[in-house]
Amino acid sequence: MPLSADLHTKVSSWLTEHYDADTQAEIRQLLAENQDDFLSDAFYRNLEFGTGGLRGIMGVGSNRMNRYTLGMATQGLCNYLLRQFPGEEIKVAVAHDSRNNSREFARIAAGIFSANGITVYLFSELRPTPELSFAIRHLGCHSGCVVTASHNPKEYNGFKVYWNDGAQVVAPHDKNIIREVEAIASVQEVKFQADESRIRLIGAEVDAAYLAQVKALSINPAAIQRQHELRIVYTPLHGTGITLVPRALAQLGFTTVHVLDDQATPDGNFPTVLSPNPEEKVAMQLALDKARELDADLVLATDPDADRVGIAVKDNRGEWVLVNGNQTAALLTHYLLSARHQAGRMTEQDYIVYTIVTSDVLGDIAHAHGVKAYQTLTGFKYIAGIIRELEGEQTYIGGGEESYGYMIGDFVRDKDAVSACAMLAEMAAVAKDQGRTLYQEMVQMYLTYGFYKEHLISLTKKGQRGAEEIQEMMRELRAAPPATIAGLPVVELRDYQTGRIRDLRTGLETETGLESSNVLQFILEDGSKISARPSGTEPKIKFYFSVRQPLKSAVDFDLANRLADEKIARIIEDMQLK
């Protein structure tokens, strides 16, 4: 379809002296080749600065991640910081991952901060996102940002913004920053000329302080000492985890950590994987092959910015299986609470946090230990919000979400794969010290607290039309919610956008108690839960499924697992989501 007049004008505005020669040349070539669809996607909107920052495909255009869209976002953040902290020496921390252009984008952001009179602590090399969160509080910064697109494909990059507590920005700052960013009408308003005197390189000292906090999490150092030769295969998937995960494991006392050489070098092209996502078996295949070769005990894999971790263990037949995000979150919660109980560390002020789309077994585990459990919307900024609200009154132990993110202790205020790797390795060492595998520990956990099985379907809808399709799906689900799913009555509808929970049997309505979010949940008569949630950072809509299945003994686990899978399959088929 030919470009509309408005779009043509917008494209032409990038062919001025305010944009560099390479950008102009690329746009002229696209115009000459009549790449109207490509240009339309690249310019049909401005890349949205959402409540967490920017994320998008790299390239030319207002809807792409480049020095100009990044620059306008950074300038808007600067303007807000200057309004929020008048007369103060404002400080920010800046980090980046291994993606293509990440270092350049981090330097551009640091330069813009400095040009606005803001002191910048810039990591001298790539570092994990959780260390950026830690550095903000450690260095007394007012804000911070990290250049990363997490586990997205190599074409993507992004820019996540944090506040002075080390958490991603929340209300009212998130909306206020968005308004400042949207008020930047032109790249001419962006101060690109860096003041190098205000940029301070950081690295080793922050590493040491952060790793000391990770080491302090250890509950069973004696078990690690006895099982220090636990065979661990670790892959950073060409990302930042290589800088800290091996050091954290060594610091705890593990002496047989095999770093996967083929994926150890940071590389934004991610040459050995289609997508650097530890949720996917194909991304972990090389690590699994190495684990079989070495007869390892545990496989750990972190995503490019090392805030998510995937694990694999051997099942009762000796076959390597992936442990999903819900199972890992449950195992960590089970270990943290039971180990603290045995060590005499439990207090009445202890609590955990998990999100509304994460397995409810986390709440059951907490309640069994007499520990408070809070639920939040999806995103660690909400978990950090609970910590901020309860600071000084209650003690945060740990929390997590189904998408392979976990946060143990409160020295970081975002998901942290480095500390999670350390505690997962300790948990495996303790299990081995007691004559069990981590898989057997998981089965025993479900026997103790009840067996839940979860599944996720993520539907990608690219481009302008895709975004419209996702919104239409949510509108239809709200306008005509299903009365039954897979033959089971829907007994409760939870609409987190309106903040209302409706019991469909009695008509009684209550409030969710959470801020508005575009999420719908359907609760079935047998307690199964289906959640629909458009992603806030990707062109996707996600459907989460959680079912419970009776489990009476360890020998019944495989059968219960299969029956739970079949129940989920019936739900998916009935909702026509294949």
Side-chain angles (χ1 to χ4, degrees):
M1 181 181 294
L3 290 176
S4 67
D6 287 345
L7 266 180
H8 202 283
T9 298
K10 191 173 184 180
V11 172
S12 297
S13 71
W14 281 54
L15 298 173
T16 65
E17 70 276 10
H18 306 303
Y19 296 86
D20 64 86
D22 289 343
T23 295
Q24 293 185 54
E26 185 173 347
I27 293 173
R28 291 186 195 281
Q29 183 176 349
L30 290 167
L31 286 168
E33 294 173 354
N34 295 315
Q35 297 285 336
D36 290 348
D37 288 345
F38 186 95
L39 286 166
S40 179
D41 257 358
F43 283 93
Y44 84 91
R45 64 172 188 172
N46 294 333
L47 185 63
E48 183 181 3
F49 189 95
T51 54
L54 293 175
R55 185 178 295 180
I57 296 171
M58 290 179 281
V60 299
S62 61
N63 189 37
R64 295 289 183 259
M65 184 74 181
N66 52 60
R67 64 179 285 115
Y68 302 107
T69 52
L70 171 72
M72 295 172 78
T74 307
Q75 185 62 54
L77 175 57
C78 288
N79 292 349
Y80 183 66
L81 289 169
L82 292 166
R83 293 179 193 275
Q84 193 72 16
F85 303 106
E88 294 187 36
E89 182 197 357
I90 301 172
K91 298 183 288 185
V92 301
V94 179
H96 67 87
D97 69 4
S98 61
R99 288 178 173 275
N100 295 330
N101 299 315
S102 280
R103 182 65 185 175
E104 179 188 353
F105 287 156
R107 285 290 314 180
I108 290 169
I112 294 168
F113 284 125
S114 70
N116 282 272
I118 294 172
T119 298
V120 184
Y121 295 100
L122 173 65
F123 278 94
S124 58
E125 297 177 295
L126 76 170
R127 284 296 188 276
T129 289
E131 189 175 8
L132 180 278
S133 171
F134 171 79
I136 290 170
R137 298 173 70 235
H138 180 68
L139 298 170
C141 294
H142 297 75
S143 181
C145 63
V146 58
V147 178
T148 180
S150 189
H151 58 288
N152 281 68
K154 64 181 180 180
E155 295 82 11
Y156 284 78
N157 217 321
F159 176 73
K160 289 202 293 190
V161 178
Y162 293 76
W163 204 240
N164 57 11
D165 63 345
Q168 291 188 52
V169 288
V170 294
H173 305 301
D174 51 1
K175 299 295 194 300
N176 292 340
I177 293 170
I178 289 171
R179 279 193 285 270
E180 291 286 355
V181 172
E182 291 175 345
I184 305 292
S186 166
V187 293
Q188 294 171 261
E189 299 178 42
V190 181
K191 298 178 181 179
F192 280 110
Q193 191 61 47
D195 177 356
E196 296 293 340
S197 69
R198 290 188 174 274
I199 300 175
R200 303 173 187 176
L201 296 182
I202 58 173
E205 185 274 331
V206 180
D207 291 349
Y210 169 80
L211 287 170
Q213 292 286 342
V214 174
K215 185 177 182 180
L217 293 173
S218 179
I219 306 170
N220 274 306
I224 294 175
Q225 186 175 10
R226 290 189 293 270
Q227 301 295 335
H228 67 92
E229 292 184 341
L230 185 85
R231 293 182 296 278
I232 301 169
V233 172
Y234 168 64
T235 173
L237 295 176
H238 303 290
T240 62
I242 191 64
T243 63
L244 291 183
V245 172
R247 292 172 63 187
L249 293 172
Q251 185 176 255
L252 259 67
F254 293 102
T255 58
T256 315
V257 178
H258 299 271
V259 178
L260 193 64
D261 289 339
D262 290 346
Q263 296 176 336
T265 302
D267 189 335
N269 290 314
F270 309 113
T272 64
V273 293
L274 292 174
S275 178
N277 187 352
E279 298 180 49
E280 299 172 1
K281 186 175 182 179
V282 65
M284 295 183 68
Q285 192 58 56
L286 291 178
L288 291 170
D289 292 343
K290 177 60 71 172
R292 291 189 189 95
E293 176 189 327
L294 299 174
D295 189 27
D297 298 295
L298 176 66
V299 172
L300 299 168
T302 53
D303 67 347
D305 67 325
D307 64 353
R308 299 171 192 257
V309 57
I311 73 171
V313 299
K314 283 183 287 191
D315 66 14
N316 291 332
R317 293 179 294 274
E319 298 294 327
W320 282 95
V321 294
L322 302 186
V323 180
N324 68 37
N326 282 292
Q327 292 167 336
T328 305
L331 275 168
L332 280 168
T333 302
H334 163 62
Y335 174 70
L336 288 170
L337 299 187
S338 59
R340 284 173 60 84
H341 178 79
Q342 291 167 10
R345 295 191 190 181
M346 299 288 280
T347 74
E348 293 182 355
Q349 287 73 44
D350 292 348
Y351 70 93
I352 68 153
V353 189
Y354 63 105
T355 71
I356 59 173
V357 296
T358 302
S359 177
D360 287 325
V361 73
L362 273 72
D364 294 346
I365 293 169
H367 296 147
H369 286 276
V371 170
K372 302 181 191 70
Y374 297 95
Q375 279 190 288
T376 70
L377 297 174
T378 302
F380 273 75
K381 63 182 180 181
Y382 298 111
I383 295 178
I386 294 286
I387 296 174
R388 187 168 52 248
E389 182 182 335
L390 299 178
E391 204 148 23
E393 300 175 6
Q394 297 182 31
T395 306
Y396 172 81
I397 303 302
E401 61 183 14
E402 53 74 37
S403 58
Y404 293 61
Y406 320 103
M407 185 169 75
I408 303 161
D410 63 1
F411 61 94
V412 167
R413 300 297 171 91
D414 203 355
K415 50 188 176 288
D416 182 357
V418 181
S419 60
C421 282
M423 294 310 293
L424 286 164
E426 175 168 309
M427 180 168 58
V430 171
K432 190 171 184 178
D433 200 47
Q434 297 172 352
R436 295 192 298 274
T437 67
L438 209 50
Y439 185 85
Q440 291 168 336
E441 188 71 20
M442 180 177 71
V443 174
Q444 185 58 47
M445 174 190 72
Y446 282 129
L447 274 170
T448 303
Y449 306 111
F451 178 47
Y452 290 76
K453 186 67 182 288
E454 287 78 27
H455 184 66
L456 168 68
I457 288 181
S458 186
L459 304 178
T460 300
K461 305 283 186 178
K462 294 185 177 179
Q464 183 177 7
R465 178 58 191 146
E468 294 169 354
E469 287 180 24
I470 289 172
Q471 294 308 313
E472 182 60 27
M473 291 175 75
M474 293 300 289
R475 279 195 294 270
E476 289 179 359
L477 284 171
R478 283 193 169 90
T484 63
I485 297 176
L488 292 167
V490 178
V491 297
E492 187 174 283
L493 176 62
R494 301 174 184 173
D495 189 339
Y496 291 90
Q497 189 168 75
T498 63
R500 307 297 291 174
I501 300 173
R502 179 154 45 102
D503 187 319
L504 301 180
R505 294 162 298 189
T506 65
L508 181 67
E509 288 198 0
T510 55
E511 296 183 356
T512 63
L514 302 175
E515 68 177 82
S516 178
S517 182
N518 190 13
V519 181
L520 278 173
Q521 287 186 328
F522 305 97
I523 312 301
L524 307 188
E525 190 176 51
D526 69 344
S528 297
K529 181 171 68 176
I530 301 102
S531 309
R533 172 181 167 266
S535 172
T537 56
E538 304 168 78
K540 295 179 179 180
I541 182 169
K542 298 180 179 181
F543 289 88
Y544 306 79
F545 308 90
S546 178
V547 300
R548 286 198 69 174
Q549 186 68 31
L551 178 64
K552 296 181 180 179
S553 71
V555 296
D556 295 329
F557 183 75
D558 287 346
L559 175 61
N561 196 44
R562 179 170 58 80
L563 291 174
D565 284 338
E566 290 173 358
K567 185 182 292 186
I568 291 171
R570 289 194 299 271
I571 291 171
I572 293 171
E573 182 177 7
D574 190 54
M575 295 184 72
Q576 300 180 354
L577 294 174
K578 288 187 176 181

